[in-house]
Amino acid sequence: MTGYLHNPWPWYIGGAIIGLTVPALLLLGNKHFGISSNLRHICAACLPAKIPFFQYEWKKETWNLFFAGGIMVGAFIASHYLGNHEPIKISPQLVGELQTYGVKDYSQLMPNDLFNMQTLLSIKGFFLFVVGGFLVGFGTRYAGGCTSGHAITGLSNLQWPSLIATISFMVGGFIMANLILPFILKL
Amino acid sequence: MDHTKSIAPLAEEIAANTDFEVRSLDTVCINESHLTHKWYSNFKYMLVGILFGIAFVKTEIISWFRIQEMFRLQSFHMYGVIGTAVLVGMVSVQLIKRFNIKTIYGEPVLFHKKKFNKGQIIGGLMFGLGWALTGACPGPLFAQIGAGFLVVTVTLLSAIAGTWVYGYYRDKLPH
């Protein structure tokens, strides 16, 4: 039994739990599942700077910050107590490609060869962390939501603007992963 | 729709809410409840977050490797996760609407339509670029940090900065 808990979960289990988050939040208090809003709430709480976009009752949205805090706690629990300490199994094609960029460590969910202090302070790291993060924060707010708000909540409620947003997310991802990222990883 | 009729008084109240266009342009993720609760009632959302975070890690969707596979069409995994999540969410929402299921406090569950604006395309493309770089959408950012990848804190801070800069230049951007 513990084997099932400790081994990686199949896609349909994870997908079902994520999908059930939508009704869980709705029924617990009319809350709409959407995580990127937290970035806005943090701005509104910490540095509103008289910008109209950050003038609203962010305290009413504290529940979402608790939710995000819960994600951190859950991730901590899963990685410290529910792991199987085996390398992640990914597509051999990807392994072959990443090898040419010096990415060889598959012991954890994230590539240790990239997600370390040394890379952080390099040009490559500037793109991966600083530029990447900025695009995530700017882009999600400009789009009015992220994977959770648009792709999951929006599509669940059959909203076509969310479908357009989701397609745009995917197009951007395909362009970056296939056309731009190879050059960044070679830096 | 019957559903919208049954919640007409609340819907009107919301329509009258001129809370800086929060609803018209940025309709995602805005609190629908009109009840006030003690602060500690928020812990129930944290509990949902914990389960969600565990699922994130155990299904490996916070993994940069998995995101790269997805955008290279090398694995079905991420498509399976997102597809299942959408399907389960869709069925749940339809059930809530069909049977007019109330929240645990007896409030009707409210939904709102999303309006199209150019940001969904331009911002969506930008987010997609960032997603493939960082291997994370906003949820996994929190999960990666919780799982011990502390350099991701820089990504999160940069994402907060990106949101702030969007807020600053919002009036000048096409919507």
Side-chain angles (χ1 to χ4, degrees), chain A residues 23-24 26-30, chain B residues 3 6-7 10 95-97 99-110:
Chain A
L26 285 172
L27 297 179
L28 281 176
N30 249 325
Chain B
H3 179 70
S6 65
I7 54 158
L10 270 174
L95 288 175
I96 289 173
K97 284 183 173 174
F99 297 103
N100 216 350
I101 300 171
K102 303 274 200 299
T103 72
I104 55 170
Y105 300 106
E107 283 188 303
V109 175
L110 299 183

Side-chain angles (χ1 to χ4, degrees), chain A residues 6 9 15 27 30-32 37 40 47 60 75 82 91 97 109 130 133 137 141-142 144 157 159 162 174 178, chain B residues 26 28-29 31-32 58 63 69 71-72 74 85 97 104 108 110 113-114 128 137 142-143 158-159 163-164 174:
Chain A
H6 287 260
W9 297 355
L27 297 179
N30 249 325
K31 307 295 189 262
H32 286 246
S37 311
R40 183 183 180 187
L47 201 66
K60 271 181 78 179
L82 301 173
S91 141
E97 187 192 329
L109 286 177
V130 181
R141 204 69 276 123
Y142 197 176
N157 193 24
Q159 297 297 301
S162 292
F174 274 97
N178 296 286
Chain B
D26 193 30
V28 188
C29 330
N31 200 338
E32 293 287 8
K58 292 310 300 175
S63 169
E69 274 183 338
F71 287 133
R72 286 173 176 75
Q74 292 166 335
K97 284 183 173 174
I104 55 170
L110 299 183
K113 289 193 164 32
K114 285 187 211 287
C137 23
F142 291 101
S158 191
T163 301
W164 193 90

Side-chain angles (χ1 to χ4, degrees), chain A:
Chain A
M1 185 60 211
T2 53
Y4 288 108
L5 204 58
H6 287 260
N7 287 333
W9 297 355
W11 51 267
Y12 46 88
I13 302 285
I17 293 175
I18 294 164
L20 286 173
T21 308
V22 174
L25 293 176
L26 285 172
L27 297 179
L28 281 176
N30 249 325
K31 307 295 189 262
H32 286 246
F33 174 48
I35 300 167
S36 64
S37 311
N38 282 312
L39 304 174
R40 183 183 180 187
H41 304 329
I42 293 169
C43 289
C46 302
L47 201 66
K50 297 193 177 142
I51 297 169
F53 191 60
F54 300 126
Q55 309 298 321
Y56 61 95
E57 279 187 77
W58 64 269
K59 281 183 185 160
K60 271 181 78 179
E61 314 300 328
T62 317
W63 71 270
N64 210 343
L65 296 167
F66 272 77
F67 181 70
I71 296 176
M72 278 185 158
V73 175
F76 179 87
I77 294 171
S79 57
H80 286 78
Y81 305 108
L82 301 173
N84 65 354
H85 307 290
E86 277 177 36
I88 181 168
K89 292 183 188 73
I90 59 161
S91 141
Q93 278 167 287
L94 184 63
V95 173
E97 187 192 329
L98 291 179
Q99 198 161 21
T100 61
Y101 310 128
V103 176
K104 291 163 188 163
D105 185 345
Y106 294 93
S107 62
Q108 287 184 298
L109 286 177
M110 305 294 282
N112 284 331
D113 297 312
L114 295 174
F115 286 73
N116 56 46
M117 279 307 286
Q118 205 189 340
T119 312
L120 179 63
L121 300 172
S122 68
I123 303 278
K124 199 194 308 190
F126 177 76
F127 282 106
L128 285 179
F129 302 102
V130 181
V131 175
F134 190 90
L135 285 168
V136 168
F138 192 102
T140 51
R141 204 69 276 123
Y142 197 176
C146 61
T147 331
S148 52
H150 272 311
I152 297 174
T153 310
L155 291 186
S156 291
N157 193 24
L158 310 173
Q159 297 297 301
W160 68 269
S162 292
L163 182 62
I164 292 175
T166 305
I167 292 169
S168 306
F169 300 163
M170 298 307 293
V171 170
F174 274 97
I175 293 172
M176 175 56 73
N178 296 286
L179 305 177
I180 310 175
L181 189 65
F183 293 100
I184 294 173
L185 290 178
K186 276 181 207 155
L187 288 173

Side-chain angles (χ1 to χ4, degrees), chain A residues 91 93, chain B residues 66 69-70 72-80:
Chain A
S91 141
Q93 278 167 287
Chain B
R66 289 285 185 204
E69 274 183 338
M70 168 173 72
R72 286 173 176 75
L73 295 174
Q74 292 166 335
S75 165
F76 173 74
H77 187 82
M78 287 297 300
Y79 295 97

